[in-house]
């Protein structure tokens, strides 16, 4: 998954408007106005902890919108693993502009790098297995595309992007449709080329989903023993996904049961932002 430049432009503009109260950088940052207008500065941004970096194009867009004359040099590429105290990017130019752009740029990068880093930790736990790590729709509103891109940077894979690109038939859908078989049949009739996934809560429901022809079946809050039974019962007639209370400590146990996918909302909703810092240097 890639991010469109149009989306980046829109999100950066929204974030800057939030900081500047819909004013220009020159008018909206009253603290930066304390600095002489012609004052120049050299600055660098470092990470205070190990991380997987994400957000290069966003940094560039933030500084472009604040002051395109600032000389920016992003030293790290998205998906790179960096160690604590590494320099991520440098900026040279108007001191006012650099300080105005600082927080917006760092807010994006600390959040996206947090998602990428958390994902990388999870992916590492799954190494040596055939199970693929997936994200969910439990994202920060407005930032889904960015967070799902960050998951890819961390080595994970994207589940459905939204409500439009794949079916995920859950308990309430099943009840409203009148059963798993009816829900799956209607899904295949409405959009025959889109994948159909059904969430089940028991082995009898799993049998129904298999017989209905589901492409993917999500095993919600199954025990490890139940998952092993589900793998045998399914016998590769559908892909199996495990979801619900996945933690870094339990990932490998679930993957070794033989499922195809593990999905985790924690990648995007329980992330720990990366600690970043900007420092001014002498010319």
């Amino acid at each position: 998954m890639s991010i469109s430049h149009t989306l980046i432009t829109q999100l950066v503009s929204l974030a800057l408007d939030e900081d500047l109260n819909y004013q220009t950088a020159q008018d909206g940052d009253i603290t930066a106005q304390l600095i002489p207008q012609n004052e120049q500065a050299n600055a660098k941004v470092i990470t205070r902890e190990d991380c997987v970096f994400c957000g290069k194009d966003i940094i560039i867009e933030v500084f472009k919108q604040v002051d395109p004359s600032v000389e920016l040099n992003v030293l790290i590429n998205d998906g790179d693993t960096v160690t604590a105290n590494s320099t991520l990017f440098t900026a040279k130019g108007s001191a006012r502009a650099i300080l105005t752009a600082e927080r917006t740029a760092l807010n994006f990068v600390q959040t996206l790098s947090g998602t990428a880093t958390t994902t990388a930790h999870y992916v590492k736990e799954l190494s040596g297995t055939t199970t693929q790590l997936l994200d969910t729709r439990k994202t920060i509103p407005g930032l889904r595309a960015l967070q799902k891109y960050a998951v890819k940077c961390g080595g994970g894979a994207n589940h459905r992007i939204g409500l439009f690109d794949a079916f995920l038939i859950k308990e309430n859908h099943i009840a409203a449709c009148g059963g798993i078989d009816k829900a799956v049949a209607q899904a295949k009739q409405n959009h025959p080329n889109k994948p159909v996934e059904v969430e089940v809560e028991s082995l009898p429901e799993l049998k129904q989903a298999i017989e209905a022809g589901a492409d993917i079946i999500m095993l919600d809050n199954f025990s490890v023993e139940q998952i092993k039974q589900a793998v045998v019962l399914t016998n590769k007639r559908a892909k199996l996904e495990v979801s619900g209370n996945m933690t870094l400590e339990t990932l490998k146990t679930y993957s070794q049961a033989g499922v195809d996918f593990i999905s985790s909302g924690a990648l995007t909703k329980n992330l720990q932002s990366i600690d970043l810092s900007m420092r001014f240097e002498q010319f």
Side-chain angles (χ1 to χ4, degrees), residues 91-204:
K92 179 180 179 181
S94 165
R96 285 187 178 187
I98 292 171
L99 289 170
T100 298
E102 172 192 3
R103 180 43 52 197
T104 297
L106 267 57
N107 280 349
F108 278 113
V109 174
Q110 71 187 19
T111 301
L112 298 181
S113 297
T115 296
T117 302
T118 298
T119 301
H121 290 324
Y122 277 55
V123 169
K124 184 178 180 180
E125 284 300 306
L126 292 175
S127 63
T129 75
T130 59
T131 304
Q132 189 171 42
L133 179 69
L134 302 176
D135 55 22
T136 72
R137 287 171 50 241
K138 296 175 182 177
T139 53
I140 299 170
L143 297 185
R144 177 171 299 165
L146 297 186
Q147 284 194 284
K148 282 184 171 283
Y149 171 73
V151 166
K152 295 281 284 185
C153 288
N158 298 143
H159 206 280
R160 58 181 181 158
I161 304 303
L163 298 172
F164 58 91
D165 56 327
F167 289 97
L168 180 48
I169 301 170
K170 297 188 176 185
E171 178 183 9
N172 290 329
H173 298 103
I174 293 168
C177 288
I180 291 175
D181 55 343
K182 292 180 180 178
V184 172
Q186 190 65 55
K188 289 181 176 292
Q189 179 180 324
N190 288 358
H191 295 282
N193 296 321
K194 294 188 184 293
V196 178
E197 180 168 0
V198 177
E199 181 182 79
V200 301
E201 298 178 349
S202 66
L203 290 174

Side-chain angles (χ1 to χ4, degrees), residues 62-73:
V62 170
F63 279 87
K64 176 184 175 183
Q65 290 193 26
V66 171
D67 184 349
S69 72
V70 172
E71 297 178 26
L72 195 65
N73 186 14

